[in-house]
Amino acid sequence: MITGKNYIGNTLSNKGTVTYQTLNPKNNIVNEPIFYEATSEEIDQAVALASKAFHKFRDMPGSERAFFIATIADEIEALGDTLIHTYMSESGLPEGRAKGERGRTLGQLRMFANLIKTEHWRNPTISGDHKEIRQALIPLGPVVVFGASNFPLAYSTAGGDTASALAAGCPVIVKSHPMHAGTGELVASAIIKAAEKTGMPDGVFSNLNSSGIEVGVQLVKDPRVKAVGFTGSIRGGRALYDHAGQREEPIPVFAEMGSINPVIITQKALEIRGEEIAQTYADSITLGVGQFCTNPGLIIGIKSQELTSFVDDLGEKTATIDAYCMLHPSIHTAYERNGNEVINQKETTLVAEHTTTVATNYAQAKIVTVSGDAFLQNKTLHQEVFGPFSMVVQCEDQTQLLQIIDQLEGQLTGTILAEKEEYPHLASIVKSLQNRVGRIVFNGVPTGVAVVDAMTHGGPYPASTDSRFTAVGNQAIKRWVRPFSYQDFPEELLPEFLK
Ligand code: NAP
Protein backbone atom coordinates (compact mmCIF):
# COMPACT_ATOMS: atom_id res chain seq x y z
CA MET A 1 0.00 0.00 0.00
CA ILE A 2 1.23 3.51 -0.78
CA THR A 3 1.27 5.70 2.36
CA GLY A 4 2.84 8.85 0.89
CA LYS A 5 5.34 8.88 3.77
CA ASN A 6 9.12 9.00 3.79
CA TYR A 7 11.24 6.07 4.88
CA ILE A 8 13.71 7.38 7.46
CA GLY A 9 15.66 4.16 7.71
CA ASN A 10 13.09 1.48 8.56
CA THR A 11 10.51 3.96 9.92
CA LEU A 12 7.69 5.60 7.97
CA SER A 13 7.51 9.31 8.72
CA ASN A 14 5.43 12.32 7.66
CA LYS A 15 6.33 15.24 9.86
CA GLY A 16 5.86 17.88 7.19
CA THR A 17 2.86 19.78 5.89
CA VAL A 18 3.94 20.23 2.25
CA THR A 19 2.21 17.63 0.08
CA TYR A 20 2.01 16.77 -3.60
CA GLN A 21 0.48 14.20 -5.95
CA THR A 22 1.62 12.44 -9.11
CA LEU A 23 -0.16 12.62 -12.44
CA ASN A 24 -1.30 10.04 -14.96
CA PRO A 25 -0.15 11.71 -18.20
CA LYS A 26 -2.11 9.33 -20.42
CA ASN A 27 -5.52 10.61 -19.30
CA ASN A 28 -4.19 13.79 -17.65
CA ILE A 29 -5.70 12.89 -14.25
CA VAL A 30 -4.06 13.37 -10.86
CA ASN A 31 -3.33 10.06 -9.06
CA GLU A 32 -4.90 9.64 -5.62
CA PRO A 33 -2.00 9.14 -3.18
CA ILE A 34 -0.76 12.21 -1.35
CA PHE A 35 2.98 12.45 -0.70
CA TYR A 36 4.56 14.28 2.23
CA GLU A 37 7.66 16.24 1.37
CA ALA A 38 10.55 15.40 3.73
CA THR A 39 11.28 18.11 6.31
CA SER A 40 14.72 19.41 7.15
CA GLU A 41 14.56 17.42 10.41
CA GLU A 42 13.66 14.19 8.58
CA ILE A 43 16.55 14.72 6.15
CA ASP A 44 18.89 15.18 9.11
CA GLN A 45 17.61 11.98 10.73
CA ALA A 46 18.06 9.97 7.53
CA VAL A 47 21.66 11.15 7.13
CA ALA A 48 22.45 10.52 10.83
CA LEU A 49 21.12 6.96 10.52
CA ALA A 50 23.05 6.35 7.28
CA SER A 51 26.21 7.63 8.87
CA LYS A 52 25.78 5.28 11.84
CA ALA A 53 24.79 2.33 9.63
CA PHE A 54 27.93 2.81 7.54
CA HIS A 55 30.20 1.60 10.37
CA LYS A 56 28.49 -1.79 10.51
CA PHE A 57 27.54 -2.12 6.84
CA ARG A 58 31.02 -1.42 5.44
CA ASP A 59 32.61 -4.23 7.48
CA MET A 60 30.05 -6.93 6.70
CA PRO A 61 31.27 -9.89 4.67
CA GLY A 62 30.37 -9.47 0.99
CA SER A 63 28.20 -12.59 1.18
CA GLU A 64 25.90 -10.89 3.73
CA ARG A 65 25.50 -7.75 1.63
CA ALA A 66 24.97 -9.98 -1.42
CA PHE A 67 22.12 -11.75 0.38
CA PHE A 68 20.55 -8.36 1.21
CA ILE A 69 20.76 -7.15 -2.41
CA ALA A 70 19.43 -10.43 -3.84
CA THR A 71 16.55 -10.25 -1.32
CA ILE A 72 15.73 -6.71 -2.54
CA ALA A 73 15.25 -8.18 -6.02
CA ASP A 74 12.96 -10.91 -4.62
CA GLU A 75 10.90 -8.37 -2.65
CA ILE A 76 10.49 -6.09 -5.69
CA GLU A 77 9.35 -9.10 -7.71
CA ALA A 78 6.86 -9.94 -4.93
CA LEU A 79 5.20 -6.51 -5.36
CA GLY A 80 3.75 -8.04 -8.55
CA ASP A 81 1.11 -6.16 -10.51
CA THR A 82 0.72 -3.42 -7.88
CA LEU A 83 4.13 -2.14 -8.89
CA ILE A 84 3.41 -2.47 -12.61
CA HIS A 85 0.08 -0.63 -12.36
CA THR A 86 1.55 2.17 -10.24
CA TYR A 87 4.46 2.54 -12.69
CA MET A 88 2.01 2.78 -15.60
CA SER A 89 -0.27 5.27 -13.84
CA GLU A 90 2.65 7.57 -12.97
CA SER A 91 4.57 7.42 -16.26
CA GLY A 92 1.98 6.65 -18.94
CA LEU A 93 4.42 4.01 -20.21
CA PRO A 94 2.87 0.75 -21.46
CA GLU A 95 2.79 -2.58 -19.58
CA GLY A 96 5.44 -4.23 -21.76
CA ARG A 97 7.91 -1.46 -20.99
CA ALA A 98 7.06 -1.59 -17.26
CA LYS A 99 7.70 -5.33 -17.13
CA GLY A 100 10.85 -5.06 -19.25
CA GLU A 101 12.26 -2.35 -17.01
CA ARG A 102 11.40 -4.34 -13.89
CA GLY A 103 13.30 -7.32 -15.36
CA ARG A 104 16.30 -5.10 -16.03
CA THR A 105 16.18 -3.72 -12.47
CA LEU A 106 16.03 -7.20 -10.92
CA GLY A 107 18.84 -8.35 -13.22
CA GLN A 108 21.07 -5.44 -12.14
CA LEU A 109 20.47 -6.13 -8.45
CA ARG A 110 21.24 -9.83 -8.89
CA MET A 111 24.34 -9.02 -10.94
CA PHE A 112 25.77 -6.86 -8.12
CA ALA A 113 24.81 -9.49 -5.51
CA ASN A 114 26.76 -12.02 -7.54
CA LEU A 115 29.73 -9.71 -7.96
CA ILE A 116 30.29 -9.23 -4.22
CA LYS A 117 29.82 -12.87 -3.18
CA THR A 118 33.60 -13.07 -3.36
CA GLU A 119 35.97 -10.16 -2.63
CA HIS A 120 37.75 -10.14 -6.04
CA TRP A 121 35.93 -6.93 -7.00
CA ARG A 122 38.03 -5.10 -4.38
CA ASN A 123 41.11 -5.83 -6.50
CA PRO A 124 43.22 -6.99 -3.51
CA THR A 125 46.94 -6.41 -4.26
CA ILE A 126 50.08 -7.30 -2.26
CA SER A 127 53.55 -5.80 -2.85
CA GLY A 128 56.40 -7.19 -0.77
CA ASP A 129 59.68 -5.91 -2.21
CA HIS A 130 60.66 -3.42 0.51
CA LYS A 131 57.78 -3.11 2.91
CA GLU A 132 54.75 -5.37 2.84
CA ILE A 133 51.93 -3.25 1.47
CA ARG A 134 48.43 -4.60 0.90
CA GLN A 135 45.85 -2.61 -1.03
CA ALA A 136 42.11 -3.02 -1.62
CA LEU A 137 39.07 -0.92 -2.50
CA ILE A 138 36.96 0.31 0.43
CA PRO A 139 33.60 2.18 0.44
CA LEU A 140 33.35 6.00 0.61
CA GLY A 141 30.40 6.39 3.02
CA PRO A 142 26.73 7.42 2.69
CA VAL A 143 25.64 8.05 -0.91
CA VAL A 144 22.70 10.18 -2.10
CA VAL A 145 20.93 8.96 -5.25
CA PHE A 146 18.76 11.02 -7.64
CA GLY A 147 16.86 9.06 -10.31
CA ALA A 148 15.55 10.22 -13.69
CA SER A 149 11.89 10.52 -14.68
CA ASN A 150 12.21 8.33 -17.77
CA PHE A 151 13.31 5.16 -15.95
CA PRO A 152 11.09 4.89 -12.84
CA LEU A 153 12.71 1.56 -11.95
CA ALA A 154 16.06 0.94 -13.65
CA TYR A 155 17.56 4.41 -12.98
CA SER A 156 15.63 5.23 -9.85
CA THR A 157 15.01 4.00 -6.27
CA ALA A 158 16.62 0.55 -6.64
CA GLY A 159 18.31 1.28 -9.96
CA GLY A 160 21.94 0.88 -10.94
CA ASP A 161 23.24 3.66 -8.65
CA THR A 162 21.54 2.27 -5.53
CA ALA A 163 22.45 -1.36 -6.34
CA SER A 164 26.12 -0.56 -6.99
CA ALA A 165 26.47 1.72 -3.94
CA LEU A 166 24.94 -0.87 -1.59
CA ALA A 167 27.18 -3.53 -3.16
CA ALA A 168 30.22 -1.35 -2.43
CA GLY A 169 29.18 -1.08 1.25
CA CYS A 170 27.70 2.45 1.14
CA PRO A 171 24.32 3.21 2.78
CA VAL A 172 21.97 4.96 0.32
CA ILE A 173 19.55 7.85 0.73
CA VAL A 174 17.27 8.25 -2.30
CA LYS A 175 15.82 11.64 -3.20
CA SER A 176 12.61 10.26 -4.68
CA HIS A 177 11.60 11.51 -8.13
CA PRO A 178 8.37 13.52 -7.76
CA MET A 179 6.89 12.22 -11.02
CA HIS A 180 6.95 8.58 -9.82
CA ALA A 181 6.76 8.94 -6.05
CA GLY A 182 4.36 5.97 -5.65
CA THR A 183 6.56 3.63 -7.68
CA GLY A 184 9.47 4.92 -5.59
CA GLU A 185 7.72 4.25 -2.29
CA LEU A 186 6.73 0.70 -3.31
CA VAL A 187 10.32 -0.09 -4.29
CA ALA A 188 11.58 1.55 -1.08
CA SER A 189 9.22 -0.68 0.95
CA ALA A 190 10.76 -3.73 -0.77
CA ILE A 191 14.28 -2.53 0.11
CA ILE A 192 13.31 -1.94 3.76
CA LYS A 193 11.65 -5.38 3.96
CA ALA A 194 14.82 -6.96 2.57
CA ALA A 195 16.98 -4.97 5.04
CA GLU A 196 14.89 -6.17 7.98
CA LYS A 197 14.79 -9.79 6.78
CA THR A 198 18.54 -9.96 6.30
CA GLY A 199 19.53 -8.10 9.49
CA MET A 200 20.96 -4.94 7.94
CA PRO A 201 21.54 -1.92 10.22
CA ASP A 202 18.69 0.61 10.40
CA GLY A 203 19.56 3.51 8.08
CA VAL A 204 21.23 1.44 5.38
CA PHE A 205 18.49 2.84 3.14
CA SER A 206 16.15 5.85 3.29
CA ASN A 207 13.68 7.25 0.77
CA LEU A 208 12.85 10.97 0.94
CA ASN A 209 9.95 12.55 -0.91
CA SER A 210 10.35 15.91 -2.56
CA SER A 211 8.65 17.89 -5.28
CA GLY A 212 11.24 20.67 -5.42
CA ILE A 213 14.98 21.05 -5.22
CA GLU A 214 15.39 21.86 -1.49
CA VAL A 215 15.57 18.28 -0.18
CA GLY A 216 18.22 17.31 -2.73
CA VAL A 217 20.29 20.42 -2.07
CA GLN A 218 20.26 19.89 1.73
CA LEU A 219 21.33 16.27 1.22
CA VAL A 220 24.23 17.16 -1.07
CA LYS A 221 25.45 19.86 1.30
CA ASP A 222 25.36 17.62 4.39
CA PRO A 223 28.97 16.93 5.48
CA ARG A 224 28.10 13.32 6.42
CA VAL A 225 27.21 12.53 2.78
CA LYS A 226 30.30 11.30 0.90
CA ALA A 227 29.16 10.90 -2.74
CA VAL A 228 26.23 11.54 -5.08
CA GLY A 229 24.73 9.55 -7.95
CA PHE A 230 22.53 11.50 -10.34
CA THR A 231 20.68 10.64 -13.56
CA GLY A 232 18.76 13.41 -15.28
CA SER A 233 19.12 16.73 -17.03
CA ILE A 234 22.38 18.63 -17.57
CA ARG A 235 20.96 21.57 -15.64
CA GLY A 236 20.07 19.47 -12.57
CA GLY A 237 23.29 17.44 -12.60
CA ARG A 238 25.46 20.52 -12.98
CA ALA A 239 23.66 22.37 -10.14
CA LEU A 240 24.27 19.47 -7.75
CA TYR A 241 27.87 19.08 -8.93
CA ASP A 242 28.48 22.76 -8.15
CA HIS A 243 26.91 22.43 -4.67
CA ALA A 244 29.15 19.44 -3.96
CA GLY A 245 32.22 21.32 -5.18
CA GLN A 246 31.48 24.33 -2.96
CA ARG A 247 31.30 22.28 0.26
CA GLU A 248 34.10 22.68 2.76
CA GLU A 249 34.85 19.02 1.95
CA PRO A 250 34.02 18.63 -1.77
CA ILE A 251 32.66 15.22 -2.74
CA PRO A 252 32.33 13.36 -6.05
CA VAL A 253 29.08 13.69 -7.99
CA PHE A 254 28.63 11.03 -10.63
CA ALA A 255 26.02 12.67 -12.83
CA GLU A 256 24.82 10.92 -15.99
CA MET A 257 23.06 13.54 -18.04
CA GLY A 258 21.63 14.38 -21.43
CA SER A 259 23.15 13.56 -24.81
CA ILE A 260 22.27 13.96 -28.50
CA ASN A 261 24.14 10.81 -29.60
CA PRO A 262 25.56 11.66 -33.06
CA VAL A 263 25.09 9.14 -35.87
CA ILE A 264 27.50 9.26 -38.83
CA ILE A 265 26.04 7.88 -42.03
CA THR A 266 28.32 7.24 -45.02
CA GLN A 267 27.59 7.66 -48.72
CA LYS A 268 27.72 3.92 -49.47
CA ALA A 269 25.41 3.11 -46.56
CA LEU A 270 22.93 5.63 -47.97
CA GLU A 271 23.23 4.19 -51.47
CA ILE A 272 22.83 0.57 -50.45
CA ARG A 273 20.32 0.71 -47.58
CA GLY A 274 19.17 4.31 -47.14
CA GLU A 275 15.50 3.33 -47.05
CA GLU A 276 16.05 0.56 -44.52
CA ILE A 277 18.11 2.89 -42.31
CA ALA A 278 15.37 5.53 -42.52
CA GLN A 279 12.84 3.05 -41.11
CA THR A 280 15.21 1.75 -38.41
CA TYR A 281 15.96 5.32 -37.32
CA ALA A 282 12.33 6.50 -37.44
CA ASP A 283 11.64 3.64 -34.99
CA SER A 284 14.65 4.48 -32.80
CA ILE A 285 13.89 8.23 -32.70
CA THR A 286 10.30 7.59 -31.57
CA LEU A 287 11.03 4.62 -29.25
CA GLY A 288 9.63 5.41 -25.79
CA VAL A 289 8.45 8.75 -27.29
CA GLY A 290 12.12 9.65 -27.73
CA GLN A 291 12.54 9.80 -23.96
CA PHE A 292 15.86 7.97 -23.81
CA CYS A 293 19.23 9.47 -22.95
CA THR A 294 20.62 7.50 -25.92
CA ASN A 295 18.03 8.79 -28.40
CA PRO A 296 19.64 9.56 -31.79
CA GLY A 297 19.12 13.35 -31.86
CA LEU A 298 21.74 14.12 -34.50
CA ILE A 299 22.43 12.40 -37.82
CA ILE A 300 25.44 13.62 -39.85
CA GLY A 301 26.15 12.89 -43.51
CA ILE A 302 27.81 14.46 -46.55
CA LYS A 303 25.55 16.30 -49.05
CA SER A 304 24.36 14.11 -51.93
CA GLN A 305 21.21 13.13 -53.81
CA GLU A 306 21.03 10.03 -51.60
CA LEU A 307 21.23 12.09 -48.39
CA THR A 308 18.39 14.33 -49.64
CA SER A 309 16.23 11.26 -50.32
CA PHE A 310 17.15 9.82 -46.92
CA VAL A 311 16.11 13.04 -45.14
CA ASP A 312 12.73 13.02 -46.91
CA ASP A 313 12.24 9.33 -46.23
CA LEU A 314 13.17 9.64 -42.57
CA GLY A 315 10.76 12.57 -42.17
CA GLU A 316 7.90 10.72 -43.83
CA LYS A 317 8.42 7.52 -41.85
CA THR A 318 8.85 9.32 -38.51
CA ALA A 319 5.78 11.50 -39.01
CA THR A 320 3.53 8.50 -39.65
CA ILE A 321 4.42 6.65 -36.43
CA ASP A 322 1.57 6.89 -33.89
CA ALA A 323 1.96 9.65 -31.32
CA TYR A 324 2.06 8.66 -27.66
CA CYS A 325 1.99 10.52 -24.36
CA MET A 326 5.11 11.89 -22.71
CA LEU A 327 5.99 11.25 -19.07
CA HIS A 328 4.65 14.48 -17.68
CA PRO A 329 3.17 17.82 -18.84
CA SER A 330 6.41 19.61 -17.89
CA ILE A 331 8.47 17.25 -20.08
CA HIS A 332 5.98 17.80 -22.90
CA THR A 333 6.21 21.57 -22.46
CA ALA A 334 10.02 21.41 -22.50
CA TYR A 335 9.88 19.26 -25.65
CA GLU A 336 7.71 21.81 -27.44
CA ARG A 337 9.78 24.76 -26.21
CA ASN A 338 13.21 23.30 -27.02
CA GLY A 339 12.05 21.81 -30.35
CA ASN A 340 10.52 25.12 -31.44
CA GLU A 341 13.64 27.01 -30.43
CA VAL A 342 15.65 24.83 -32.83
CA ILE A 343 13.01 24.98 -35.59
CA ASN A 344 12.80 28.78 -35.28
CA GLN A 345 16.50 29.27 -36.04
CA LYS A 346 16.60 30.80 -39.51
CA GLU A 347 18.98 28.13 -40.87
CA THR A 348 16.73 25.18 -39.90
CA THR A 349 14.28 23.43 -42.24
CA LEU A 350 11.44 21.41 -40.73
CA VAL A 351 11.36 18.29 -42.93
CA ALA A 352 8.27 16.66 -41.46
CA GLU A 353 6.20 16.42 -38.31
CA HIS A 354 3.40 14.29 -37.02
CA THR A 355 0.28 16.29 -37.83
CA THR A 356 -2.67 14.22 -36.64
CA THR A 357 -4.51 15.89 -33.74
CA VAL A 358 -3.29 14.41 -30.48
CA ALA A 359 -4.49 14.35 -26.86
CA THR A 360 -2.96 16.44 -24.05
CA ASN A 361 0.63 15.43 -23.19
CA TYR A 362 1.06 13.52 -26.48
CA ALA A 363 4.19 14.39 -28.45
CA GLN A 364 4.30 15.04 -32.18
CA ALA A 365 7.53 13.70 -33.68
CA LYS A 366 9.67 16.08 -35.76
CA ILE A 367 12.62 15.81 -38.15
CA VAL A 368 14.64 18.88 -39.09
CA THR A 369 17.68 19.46 -41.26
CA VAL A 370 20.49 22.05 -41.43
CA SER A 371 23.70 22.60 -43.37
CA GLY A 372 27.07 21.79 -41.86
CA ASP A 373 27.99 25.50 -41.90
CA ALA A 374 24.88 26.46 -39.94
CA PHE A 375 25.43 23.72 -37.39
CA LEU A 376 29.01 24.80 -36.80
CA GLN A 377 28.01 28.43 -36.26
CA ASN A 378 24.92 28.06 -34.10
CA LYS A 379 25.25 26.38 -30.68
CA THR A 380 21.46 26.40 -30.15
CA LEU A 381 21.36 23.59 -32.69
CA HIS A 382 23.58 21.43 -30.42
CA GLN A 383 21.14 21.22 -27.49
CA GLU A 384 19.23 18.10 -26.45
CA VAL A 385 15.55 18.16 -27.45
CA PHE A 386 14.29 15.43 -25.10
CA GLY A 387 11.58 13.62 -27.08
CA PRO A 388 10.90 12.22 -30.58
CA PHE A 389 13.07 14.73 -32.40
CA SER A 390 16.14 14.44 -34.61
CA MET A 391 18.24 16.71 -36.80
CA VAL A 392 20.08 15.74 -39.97
CA VAL A 393 23.21 17.79 -40.64
CA GLN A 394 24.25 17.97 -44.31
CA CYS A 395 28.02 18.57 -44.52
CA GLU A 396 29.98 20.00 -47.45
CA ASP A 397 32.64 17.30 -47.27
CA GLN A 398 34.55 14.91 -45.01
CA THR A 399 36.67 17.75 -43.59
CA GLN A 400 33.57 19.56 -42.38
CA LEU A 401 32.11 16.33 -41.01
CA LEU A 402 35.24 15.79 -38.89
CA GLN A 403 35.18 19.43 -37.80
CA ILE A 404 31.59 18.99 -36.60
CA ILE A 405 32.42 15.85 -34.62
CA ASP A 406 35.39 17.63 -33.01
CA GLN A 407 33.18 20.54 -31.93
CA LEU A 408 30.44 18.43 -30.35
CA GLU A 409 30.00 18.44 -26.59
CA GLY A 410 30.70 15.15 -24.81
CA GLN A 411 28.16 12.42 -25.60
CA LEU A 412 27.08 9.05 -24.21
CA THR A 413 27.23 7.35 -27.62
CA GLY A 414 28.27 7.82 -31.23
CA THR A 415 27.15 5.57 -34.09
CA ILE A 416 28.74 4.78 -37.46
CA LEU A 417 26.64 3.41 -40.32
CA ALA A 418 28.97 2.22 -43.11
CA GLU A 419 29.63 -0.50 -45.70
CA LYS A 420 32.51 -2.99 -45.59
CA GLU A 421 34.35 -1.44 -48.55
CA GLU A 422 34.53 1.86 -46.62
CA TYR A 423 36.07 0.38 -43.46
CA PRO A 424 39.68 1.18 -44.48
CA HIS A 425 38.74 4.90 -44.70
CA LEU A 426 36.92 5.21 -41.37
CA ALA A 427 39.92 5.59 -39.03
CA SER A 428 39.70 9.40 -38.81
CA ILE A 429 35.96 9.28 -38.02
CA VAL A 430 36.49 6.63 -35.34
CA LYS A 431 39.33 8.64 -33.83
CA SER A 432 37.38 11.92 -33.73
CA LEU A 433 34.25 10.27 -32.40
CA GLN A 434 36.16 8.35 -29.74
CA ASN A 435 37.33 11.66 -28.35
CA ARG A 436 33.75 12.89 -27.85
CA VAL A 437 31.75 9.83 -26.72
CA GLY A 438 31.73 6.95 -24.20
CA ARG A 439 30.64 4.18 -26.61
CA ILE A 440 30.67 3.78 -30.41
CA VAL A 441 27.94 1.63 -31.96
CA PHE A 442 28.75 0.16 -35.37
CA ASN A 443 25.89 -0.36 -37.86
CA GLY A 444 23.19 -0.27 -35.22
CA VAL A 445 21.13 2.16 -33.16
CA PRO A 446 22.24 3.86 -29.92
CA THR A 447 18.97 3.20 -28.06
CA GLY A 448 19.31 0.18 -25.76
CA VAL A 449 22.02 -0.04 -23.08
CA ALA A 450 22.99 -3.64 -22.27
CA VAL A 451 23.79 -4.36 -18.62
CA VAL A 452 27.05 -6.26 -19.19
CA ASP A 453 30.60 -6.15 -17.83
CA ALA A 454 32.06 -4.36 -20.85
CA MET A 455 29.42 -1.59 -21.05
CA THR A 456 30.47 2.05 -20.79
CA HIS A 457 27.49 4.26 -20.03
CA GLY A 458 29.04 7.67 -19.52
CA GLY A 459 31.27 9.95 -21.54
CA PRO A 460 33.06 13.30 -21.64
CA TYR A 461 31.22 16.23 -20.00
CA PRO A 462 28.31 16.98 -20.21
CA ALA A 463 27.29 13.36 -20.93
CA SER A 464 28.67 12.72 -17.45
CA THR A 465 30.61 14.67 -14.84
CA ASP A 466 33.39 12.06 -14.72
CA SER A 467 34.19 10.23 -17.94
CA ARG A 468 36.46 7.75 -16.13
CA PHE A 469 33.49 5.76 -14.89
CA THR A 470 30.40 3.94 -16.16
CA ALA A 471 26.93 4.06 -14.60
CA VAL A 472 25.87 0.72 -16.11
CA GLY A 473 27.43 -2.73 -15.72
CA ASN A 474 29.31 -4.10 -12.73
CA GLN A 475 32.21 -1.63 -13.16
CA ALA A 476 29.75 1.00 -11.88
CA ILE A 477 30.69 -0.11 -8.35
CA LYS A 478 34.05 1.67 -8.77
CA ARG A 479 32.36 5.07 -8.34
CA TRP A 480 31.68 4.41 -4.64
CA VAL A 481 35.08 3.19 -3.45
CA ARG A 482 38.62 4.40 -2.87
CA PRO A 483 41.92 2.52 -2.83
CA PHE A 484 43.36 1.95 0.63
CA SER A 485 46.76 0.57 1.66
CA TYR A 486 47.83 -1.29 4.81
CA GLN A 487 51.60 -1.13 5.35
CA ASP A 488 53.34 -3.80 7.48
CA PHE A 489 50.05 -4.61 9.22
CA PRO A 490 49.79 -7.46 11.74
CA GLU A 491 47.72 -10.34 10.34
CA GLU A 492 45.08 -10.09 13.06
CA LEU A 493 44.32 -6.44 12.23
CA LEU A 494 43.90 -6.99 8.50
CA PRO A 495 40.38 -7.33 7.05
CA GLU A 496 39.46 -10.88 5.97
CA PHE A 497 39.64 -9.94 2.27
CA LEU A 498 43.37 -9.09 2.56
CA LYS A 499 44.58 -11.97 4.71
P1 NAP B 1 15.78 16.23 -13.98
O1 NAP B 1 14.69 17.20 -14.19
O2 NAP B 1 17.16 16.74 -13.99
O3 NAP B 1 15.45 15.52 -12.59
C1 NAP B 1 16.25 14.49 -12.01
C2 NAP B 1 16.21 14.60 -10.48
O4 NAP B 1 17.07 15.67 -10.07
C3 NAP B 1 14.85 14.93 -9.90
O5 NAP B 1 14.70 14.25 -8.68
C4 NAP B 1 14.92 16.43 -9.69
O6 NAP B 1 14.09 16.86 -8.65
C5 NAP B 1 16.36 16.63 -9.30
N1 NAP B 1 16.86 17.97 -9.65
C6 NAP B 1 16.79 18.55 -10.86
N2 NAP B 1 17.37 19.76 -10.84
C7 NAP B 1 17.80 19.95 -9.57
C8 NAP B 1 18.47 21.02 -8.90
N3 NAP B 1 18.81 22.14 -9.53
N4 NAP B 1 18.77 20.87 -7.60
C9 NAP B 1 18.40 19.75 -6.93
N5 NAP B 1 17.76 18.71 -7.51
C10 NAP B 1 17.46 18.80 -8.80
O7 NAP B 1 15.74 15.07 -15.09
P2 NAP B 1 14.47 14.25 -15.63
O8 NAP B 1 13.57 15.17 -16.37
O9 NAP B 1 13.91 13.48 -14.53
O10 NAP B 1 15.11 13.23 -16.68
C11 NAP B 1 15.25 13.54 -18.05
C12 NAP B 1 16.70 13.80 -18.42
O11 NAP B 1 17.53 12.75 -17.93
C13 NAP B 1 17.00 13.88 -19.90
O12 NAP B 1 17.86 14.95 -20.16
C14 NAP B 1 17.72 12.56 -20.21
O13 NAP B 1 18.57 12.62 -21.32
C15 NAP B 1 18.44 12.33 -18.93
N6 NAP B 1 18.76 10.92 -18.69
C16 NAP B 1 20.07 10.52 -18.67
C17 NAP B 1 20.39 9.19 -18.48
C18 NAP B 1 21.82 8.73 -18.45
O14 NAP B 1 22.07 7.61 -18.07
N7 NAP B 1 22.77 9.53 -18.85
C19 NAP B 1 19.36 8.25 -18.28
C20 NAP B 1 18.04 8.69 -18.28
C21 NAP B 1 17.76 10.03 -18.48
P3 NAP B 1 12.81 17.77 -8.93
O15 NAP B 1 12.08 17.16 -10.08
O16 NAP B 1 12.06 17.71 -7.65
O17 NAP B 1 13.36 19.11 -9.24
Side-chain angles (χ1 to χ4, degrees), residues 149-150 175 177-178 212 230-233 236 239 256-257 293 384 386 457:
S149 56
N150 58 338
K175 197 299 255 178
H177 200 294
F230 172 94
T231 308
S233 62
E256 301 295 323
M257 302 176 285
C293 49
E384 179 191 38
F386 190 59
H457 189 62

Side-chain angles (χ1 to χ4, degrees), residues 86-326:
T86 306
Y87 172 111
M88 290 166 66
S89 73
E90 291 185 327
S91 66
L93 294 167
E95 187 173 352
R97 162 73 193 271
K99 289 188 169 163
E101 197 182 322
R102 178 179 60 185
R104 181 191 180 94
T105 308
L106 302 179
Q108 286 179 160
L109 285 159
R110 289 172 179 144
M111 176 188 78
F112 281 111
N114 230 359
L115 177 73
I116 59 165
K117 271 184 189 154
T118 70
E119 302 285 1
H120 297 306
W121 70 272
R122 290 183 188 269
N123 198 19
T125 308
I126 305 182
S127 307
D129 290 353
H130 303 292
K131 300 274 179 193
E132 191 197 75
I133 303 180
R134 296 175 185 233
Q135 188 200 56
L137 300 173
I138 61 166
L140 292 178
V143 167
V144 171
V145 169
F146 295 77
S149 56
N150 58 338
F151 281 95
L153 293 171
Y155 289 82
S156 193
T157 320
D161 285 356
T162 297
S164 56
L166 291 175
C170 300
V172 169
I173 303 163
V174 166
K175 197 299 255 178
S176 167
H177 200 294
M179 293 179 198
H180 54 253
T183 307
E185 187 191 323
L186 287 173
V187 172
S189 73
I191 299 176
I192 296 298
K193 231 183 203 174
E196 288 175 337
K197 270 191 182 171
T198 59
M200 293 297 127
D202 190 9
V204 76
F205 179 82
S206 287
N207 185 56
L208 302 181
N209 294 325
S210 137
S211 60
I213 64 168
E214 296 78 11
V215 171
V217 172
Q218 184 178 331
L219 282 168
V220 172
K221 286 184 171 174
D222 192 302
R224 295 164 292 184
V225 168
K226 298 301 176 196
V228 177
F230 172 94
T231 308
S233 62
I234 294 174
R235 208 170 57 150
R238 180 59 198 242
L240 295 170
Y241 180 85
D242 289 343
H243 284 306
Q246 284 155 11
R247 289 167 41 134
E248 191 177 324
E249 178 201 349
I251 49 167
V253 174
F254 298 100
E256 301 295 323
M257 302 176 285
S259 185
I260 53 173
N261 305 297
V263 177
I264 315 302
I265 181 165
T266 64
Q267 179 59 25
K268 281 276 171 259
L270 285 169
E271 281 169 26
I272 294 173
R273 52 196 169 99
E275 217 180 310
E276 180 195 322
I277 293 172
Q279 186 61 59
T280 306
Y281 269 76
D283 293 338
S284 176
I285 290 161
T286 54
L287 187 70
V289 205
Q291 301 167 118
F292 285 121
C293 49
T294 49
N295 188 56
L298 186 70
I299 300 171
I300 313 171
I302 296 170
K303 264 188 195 165
S304 68
Q305 189 50 49
E306 288 77 12
L307 184 61
T308 309
S309 309
F310 170 78
V311 171
D312 293 341
D313 219 8
L314 179 69
E316 200 176 298
K317 290 182 158 76
T318 305
T320 50
I321 290 176
D322 285 345
Y324 198 76
C325 74
M326 298 196 84

